[in-house]
Amino acid sequence: MAVVGIVPAAGNGERLGASEPKAFALCAGRPLLDWSVDVLAGVCQRVVVAVPAGREHGPDRVRGGPSRSASVRAALLVAPEASTVVIHDAARPLLSRDLVERCLAAVYEGWDGAVAAARMTDTVKQADRDGRVLRTLERSSLWSIQTPQVFRAEVLRRALDVDEGRLAAATDDASLVEDLGGAVRVIEAPPDNLKVTRAVDLELAGSLLMAAR
Ligand code: C5P
């Protein structure tokens, strides 16, 4: 019975334009990945990181898969002792311990999953392939979904037991749990839990991390 952290860090991060995979790009003087691993290590008994091929040096580093959820599955496979799983993208280095603990608390209360999320601040419209607006969605019930995402391990294992095509289509792990009928709730995240996608995000995250030290 253990809380295990999983960090999918096996993407190549083409949009960042860095010479190495995104999780290994330097942010405030350290590899992006290390910021998340440090926070998870304070809350989890073990942290398993899914890395690109050739970077599996050290304990608890496993080779990632062809998609984000395939990487999560590869990491979970080496942690059979997990009873609760905290998944957090290496691309979000401003993770706070408080946010992880609030997600964990929801799962301990009985939810199958709890996911960090931000309220939508923009108006959201649905458009067809030609860009013609079909409708404006009701913003008050919409959330932009982030990580950490925390799950009961037994439910997550079943959710990830699908073919590679379904794993590749999943943009988060919670959607796979939802497919099973799992009960997932959102947990409001602080505004700085940003995702590093482009070079400008890396600079901003680095400045915020430096200021917080
Ligand atoms: O590409 P994106 O930024 O959405 O990826 C989110 C996270 O998933 C990143 O931390 C990335 O390293 C990870 N990932 C992975 N395996 C893949 C693709 C992405 O671990 N095959």
Side-chain angles (χ1 to χ4, degrees):
M1 300 290 278
V3 179
V4 171
I6 289 179
V7 182
N12 51 22
E14 275 157 15
R15 287 168 295 183
L16 189 62
S19 53
E20 52 191 348
K22 178 163 69 179
F24 297 86
L26 289 185
C27 185
R30 321 168 66 195
L32 192 60
L33 165 68
D34 290 8
W35 294 101
S36 299
V37 171
D38 274 6
V39 175
L40 291 181
V43 186
C44 305
Q45 273 90 62
R46 183 180 172 196
V47 181
V48 182
V49 184
V51 293
R55 293 192 180 249
E56 312 92 322
H57 322 297
D60 288 336
R61 301 271 163 138
V62 301
R63 185 178 185 157
S67 65
R68 187 190 166 286
S69 289
S71 294
V72 170
R73 184 168 68 181
L76 188 55
L77 269 176
V78 304
E81 78 279 23
S83 53
T84 307
V85 181
V86 181
I87 302 168
H88 184 68
D89 286 350
R92 292 187 191 272
L94 285 127
L95 175 66
S96 73
R97 181 179 176 129
D98 173 70
L99 181 58
V100 178
E101 287 177 340
R102 284 191 288 126
C103 292
L104 275 169
V107 170
Y108 294 152
E109 269 168 26
W111 292 86
D112 293 314
V115 301
R119 289 183 187 279
M120 294 301 300
T121 51
D122 295 325
T123 294
V124 183
K125 296 184 191 290
Q126 187 177 10
D128 67 16
R129 285 172 187 274
D130 300 325
R132 182 190 177 85
V133 171
L134 302 174
R135 72 181 83 146
T136 300
L137 302 176
E138 170 52 46
R139 187 169 70 184
S140 62
S141 65
L142 294 175
W143 293 81
S144 176
I145 301 304
Q146 310 176 348
T147 63
Q149 300 202 346
V150 178
F151 302 99
R152 291 202 296 120
E154 172 258 321
V155 175
L156 182 64
R157 287 192 186 96
R158 275 193 287 131
L160 291 167
D161 187 16
V162 291
D163 62 40
E164 292 285 347
R166 177 66 193 103
L167 288 183
T171 53
D172 75 346
D173 305 297
S175 60
L176 298 166
V177 169
E178 292 154 32
D179 284 353
L180 287 181
V184 177
R185 68 153 297 163
V186 291
I187 301 290
E188 190 158 7
D192 63 357
N193 189 38
L194 59 87
K195 182 175 178 187
V196 171
T197 303
R198 300 176 197 280
V200 64
D201 307 320
L202 189 64
E203 270 181 44
L204 177 59
S207 305
L208 291 170
L209 286 164
M210 296 285 265
R213 280 205 274 193

